[in-house]
């Protein structure tokens, strides 16, 4: 088992501190594929400001549930974003999300290396390159744009760009607040690897 993460800079909201607003925020994540929201370290950190966390959650929940991208392509974009932003918690969490979605764990190692890996199809490699461009340059180059729009319609293009943009934000917050991984996520990170933390 990997050692525990460094101490958080922002403590999680304790159950005895929950307010009606806190519960309303956490309830947004209850049901369906989301379980135990009241014990999730990220959500309990975000719960210090349930107003902004709740607004952001509506966006994030769409990306995870009603996103027009195929699940594998969505997860490739999220996990590559997590890897290159060195978002340790996000990467570890989306190992779990990908496995629960039935995706092949053989994609985890290639995702660390980025575009060009033979595991990925040519289009999946385009998704990775476009993700890297969005994170690094806040745009998509002409060649990757043409390849994406040959496969995706405008709705999917926007879902893709909003997915990458969305996940850059919590990556920064999780890293800055140093949200700690629970033992189950540490075990996944030990098995599949994780970015180097600060």
């Amino acid at each position: 088992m990997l050692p525990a993460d460094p101490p958080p800079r922002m403590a999680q909201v304790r159950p005895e501190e929950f307010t009606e607003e806190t519960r309303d925020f956490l309830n947004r994540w209850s049901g369906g594929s989301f379980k135990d929201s009241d014990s999730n370290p990220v959500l309990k950190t975000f719960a210090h400001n349930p107003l902004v966390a709740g607004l952001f959650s509506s966006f994030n929940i769409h990306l995870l549930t009603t996103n027009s991208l195929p699940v594998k392509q969505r997860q490739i974009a999220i996990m590559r974003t997590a890897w290159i932003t060195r978002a340790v918690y996000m990467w570890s969490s989306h190992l779990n999300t990908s496995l629960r979605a039935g995706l092949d764990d053989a994609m985890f190692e290639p995702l660390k290396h980025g575009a060009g890996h033979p595991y990925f199809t040519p289009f999946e490699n385009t998704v990775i390159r476009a993700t890297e461009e969005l994170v690094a340059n806040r745009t998509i180059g002409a060649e990757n744009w043409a390849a994406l729009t040959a496969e995706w319609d405008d709705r999917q293009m926007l879902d893709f760009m909003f997915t990458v943009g969305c996940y850059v934000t919590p990556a920064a917050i999780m890293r800055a607040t140093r949200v700690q991984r629970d033992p189950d996520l540490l075990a996944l990170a030990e098995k599949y690897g994780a970015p180097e933390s600060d």
Side-chain angles (χ1 to χ4, degrees):
M1 181 73 69
L2 292 174
D5 291 332
R9 287 173 165 166
M10 184 180 292
Q12 300 172 34
V13 175
R14 300 188 304 275
E16 60 270 24
E17 299 172 318
F18 287 1
T19 63
E20 183 177 344
E21 290 78 14
T22 308
R23 292 186 185 88
D24 286 345
F25 157 59
L26 294 173
N27 285 340
R28 290 172 183 259
W29 290 91
S30 298
S33 60
F34 307 113
K35 303 200 183 311
D36 303 320
S37 61
D38 58 354
S39 62
N40 182 282
V42 173
L43 298 180
K44 287 172 64 181
T45 301
F46 290 2
H48 285 287
N49 189 333
L51 176 60
V52 72
L55 292 168
F56 183 79
S57 291
S58 296
F59 178 25
N60 198 177
I61 290 168
H62 156 69
L63 297 175
L64 290 171
T65 59
T66 52
N67 197 323
S68 61
L69 299 181
V71 172
K72 185 179 181 184
Q73 293 169 9
R74 179 200 76 197
Q75 286 304 110
I76 286 171
I78 292 171
M79 294 188 71
R80 187 61 187 156
T81 299
W83 187 266
I84 60 181
T85 59
R86 297 170 57 203
V88 174
Y89 188 101
M90 182 184 294
W91 169 268
S92 303
S93 175
H94 279 271
L95 291 170
N96 192 34
T97 301
S98 295
L99 292 170
R100 284 201 328 260
L103 299 181
D104 183 0
D105 65 0
M107 81 173 187
F108 299 151
E109 190 64 30
L111 270 171
K112 300 172 189 177
H113 302 285
H117 196 284
Y119 170 84
F120 296 110
T121 68
F123 185 73
E124 289 167 350
N125 275 306
T126 299
V127 173
I128 293 170
R129 283 192 297 272
T131 298
E132 292 168 351
E133 287 182 327
L134 279 170
V135 174
N137 305 323
R138 272 72 65 195
T139 192
I140 298 172
E143 182 178 349
N144 289 323
W145 183 271
L148 292 175
T149 56
E151 178 86 12
W152 288 340
D153 61 23
D154 289 346
R155 178 184 178 193
Q156 292 172 305
M157 287 295 293
L158 286 166
D159 265 338
F160 168 66
M161 291 182 284
F162 274 115
T163 296
V164 174
C166 167
Y167 276 88
V168 168
T169 298
I173 297 169
M174 291 178 202
R175 287 188 63 195
T177 59
R178 295 182 181 163
V179 177
Q180 288 184 303
R181 291 170 291 178
D182 287 335
D184 59 332
L185 294 189
L186 286 168
L188 284 173
E190 182 171 45
K191 181 174 182 179
Y192 297 113
E196 290 186 16
S197 59
D198 295 333

